[in-house]
Amino acid sequence: MHRSRFLRYAKQMREVPDGAPAPPPKKPAADKPASKKQEKTQEKKQEKKQEKKSRKDTSAPRAGTPDADLAKAVEAEDVNGVKAALTAGAKVDVMMPGDGGDMMTALMYSSLVGFEKGVELLLQHGADFNDGLAQAEYTPLHGAAFQGRPGIIKLLLAAGADPLDRHSDGFLPMHRACWGNTPKHTESVLAFLEHGVDVSIDAENPDGDGRLTALKMAATNPMTSALIQGTFSQTYGRILTVILHIN
């Protein structure tokens, strides 16, 4: 999936089709709406993001500069080029265009396309894991989860990225991994669970029909559904975890 379609697909994939296969159900914990304190904390986070975005230069780097070299190297997934540009003084959080022209940080771009070594290098040089798309509040962790990039998710979490960062649309990074229907999306959900994210954290249904649990979001992926249900059955969960790690 191309990174320029990230926002477009995010809206479409929230509409989960009925009748998707799933293992025999084991009911998860009851839905837990966000507390007033959590809502206020999230509001403050969004205000800080907006303030930061208003101060940031979101223009493309000028040709012939180390910043432009870094953007070019990231786009080409050229590890040596990234190293050379950073050594030459490129800004690690340089903004660059995606396929559709959406401006994003080099870390966001790398997270979306799966340039794992690039993510590692950028983080080592102090890239801001809270900064992603110029025109939206999506962070690299949201992008990596949406695309199903478990290795990058682990790198971002290890660097200190917040797994409970709730976007203004109401969803956590783990929720975006739940929408995906590939084994890599299941591995991505597993990465969040192993990091300690509570699988019972839900989100407001954008259609206005109550709240959505992670299990409901994973309706199109039987493996993810089984993994989520496995958290309520320790034996089943351990077996599934072993299978995922083997694959």
Side-chain angles (χ1 to χ4, degrees):
M1 189 178 299
H2 294 295
R3 52 270 185 193
S4 63
R5 299 176 186 167
F6 174 58
L7 297 179
R8 206 176 314 140
Y9 278 101
K11 181 178 179 181
Q12 293 173 353
M13 291 184 70
R14 286 203 295 271
E15 299 171 1
V16 179
D18 295 329
K26 281 198 172 186
K27 286 190 176 181
D31 294 352
K32 295 180 180 179
S35 67
K36 293 292 184 182
K37 184 177 180 181
Q38 289 173 324
E39 289 176 356
K40 287 183 179 179
T41 300
Q42 192 60 31
E43 286 176 4
K44 287 181 180 178
K45 282 184 179 180
Q46 295 301 329
E47 288 174 2
K48 287 183 179 179
K49 285 181 181 179
Q50 289 296 334
E51 182 182 353
K52 184 176 182 180
K53 187 169 70 173
S54 65
R55 296 196 308 262
K56 188 173 181 65
D57 179 10
T58 59
S59 59
R62 188 162 46 86
T65 63
D67 289 356
D69 292 340
L70 177 57
K72 184 178 180 180
V74 166
E75 185 175 10
E77 299 185 37
D78 176 4
V79 174
N80 290 329
V82 171
K83 289 180 179 178
L86 290 171
T87 300
K91 289 184 294 189
V92 70
D93 291 317
V94 64
M95 300 297 290
M96 57 186 291
D99 288 344
D102 298 313
M103 298 301 292
M104 62 188 71
T105 63
L107 182 61
M108 182 68 169
Y109 189 103
S110 299
S111 298
L112 288 173
V113 302
F115 184 22
E116 192 166 328
K117 188 60 179 177
V119 169
E120 186 176 1
L121 284 168
L122 292 168
L123 288 172
Q124 287 174 355
H125 283 77
D128 185 355
F129 46 71
N130 292 316
D131 203 0
L133 288 168
Q135 300 304 319
E137 298 90 22
Y138 292 106
T139 65
L141 190 57
H142 280 272
F146 180 83
Q147 296 289 72
R149 312 289 190 196
I152 290 175
I153 288 169
K154 291 176 182 178
L155 286 173
L156 291 167
L157 290 174
D162 183 6
L164 301 181
D165 175 43
R166 195 180 288 271
H167 186 264
S168 58
D169 64 9
F171 295 99
L172 303 181
M174 182 184 72
H175 293 153
R176 302 192 193 285
C178 288
W179 301 338
N181 55 11
T182 71
K184 287 295 183 183
H185 284 96
T186 303
E187 289 183 51
S188 297
V189 174
L190 178 61
F192 285 110
L193 296 180
E194 289 181 332
H195 192 72
V197 177
D198 185 351
V199 75
S200 68
I201 298 176
D202 58 11
E204 189 71 32
N205 190 331
D207 296 329
D209 184 19
R211 299 186 70 82
L212 290 173
T213 62
L215 186 59
K216 289 178 183 176
M217 297 179 209
T220 59
N221 189 332
M223 281 292 278
T224 301
S225 296
L227 175 63
I228 292 171
Q229 292 184 83
T231 63
F232 304 102
S233 170
Q234 292 186 357
T235 302
Y236 190 31
R238 281 197 296 269
I239 293 173
L240 192 63
T241 298
V242 170
I243 291 173
L244 282 171
H245 280 308
I246 289 175
N247 293 334

